[in-house]
Amino acid sequence: MATLQSLADLNRSNVESPENAAPVHVQKLDAQGRAYATGKRKDAVARVWIKPGTGQVVVNGRTIEVYFARPVLRMILRQPLQIANRVDQYDIMVSVHGGGLSGQAGAVRHGLSKALTYFEPELRGPLKREGFLTRDSRVVERKKYGRKKARRSFQFSKR
């Protein structure tokens, strides 16, 4: 590397170096033309595959209406597709395990958002702004010894 003579040389060398360029996101597809991503939330882990289709969603071999019976959970799943304006353009296959239904819905949303960015890298900006690409790291706090729950103490009695 050349010796820098002035502050202007320092600025020029930072701008021109390729390692300072923004990362280029490319499409990642498997042999069947699907995008795959893993999403996590609480104790739930979701494996999500998307491919162009009619908007069919299958979760653990069942339709979304059967698996996620509550409308709120289905709304959580559809949020990334609504932000990207791709509601009925992809067939989604999901395998999810661990945790409860709420955590599983959050895991599927996280995995679906990541899979959308792998299929269409230009969607990364809008999904990241909404916070769908960030893994929600909040988990249940562990129970401590000498306590009833994680923070709850036993009832105090003076006598």
Side-chain angles (χ1 to χ4, degrees):
M1 181 155 184
T3 306
L4 301 174
Q5 301 297 326
S6 69
L7 191 59
D9 293 341
L10 178 66
N11 285 338
R12 232 177 284 128
S13 67
N14 282 345
V15 172
E16 295 168 0
S17 65
E19 58 265 1
N20 288 343
V24 178
H25 298 285
V26 294
Q27 189 179 42
K28 298 179 189 173
L29 302 178
D30 62 4
Q32 288 87 23
R34 303 175 301 182
Y36 166 79
T38 305
K40 296 181 180 180
R41 171 83 169 94
K42 294 186 178 179
D43 276 341
V45 178
R47 298 183 299 164
V48 181
W49 290 268
I50 64 168
K51 64 180 180 181
T54 59
Q56 180 183 8
V57 181
V58 177
V59 181
N60 288 352
R62 291 181 263 174
T63 63
I64 187 173
E65 287 78 18
V66 173
Y67 195 84
F68 292 113
R70 293 199 321 241
V72 174
L73 300 177
R74 291 196 298 266
M75 180 204 67
I76 289 172
L77 295 188
R78 291 198 176 101
Q79 283 176 336
L81 296 169
Q82 290 170 345
I83 294 296
N85 293 325
R86 307 281 193 277
V87 175
D88 290 329
Q89 295 183 14
Y90 291 109
D91 286 342
I92 303 164
M93 197 192 99
V94 180
S95 171
V96 63
H97 67 275
L101 285 177
S102 176
Q104 287 183 353
V108 172
R109 181 179 80 171
H110 183 226
L112 178 58
S113 301
K114 284 171 60 175
L116 280 171
T117 60
Y118 293 155
F119 205 92
E120 295 184 57
E122 63 273 6
L123 294 177
R124 184 171 171 82
L127 291 172
K128 192 164 176 67
R129 267 193 298 280
E130 294 295 322
F132 295 154
L133 297 178
T134 305
R135 196 252 198 247
D136 191 352
S137 61
R138 295 176 296 169
V139 292
V140 178
E141 190 175 346
R142 77 173 191 90
K143 182 196 175 301
K144 280 79 169 187
Y145 57 87
R147 301 223 167 224
K148 196 166 190 156
K149 298 190 335 188
R151 299 187 179 193
R152 169 93 166 91
S153 297
F154 295 107
Q155 182 173 341
F156 176 75
S157 174
K158 194 168 186 178
R159 297 180 224 286

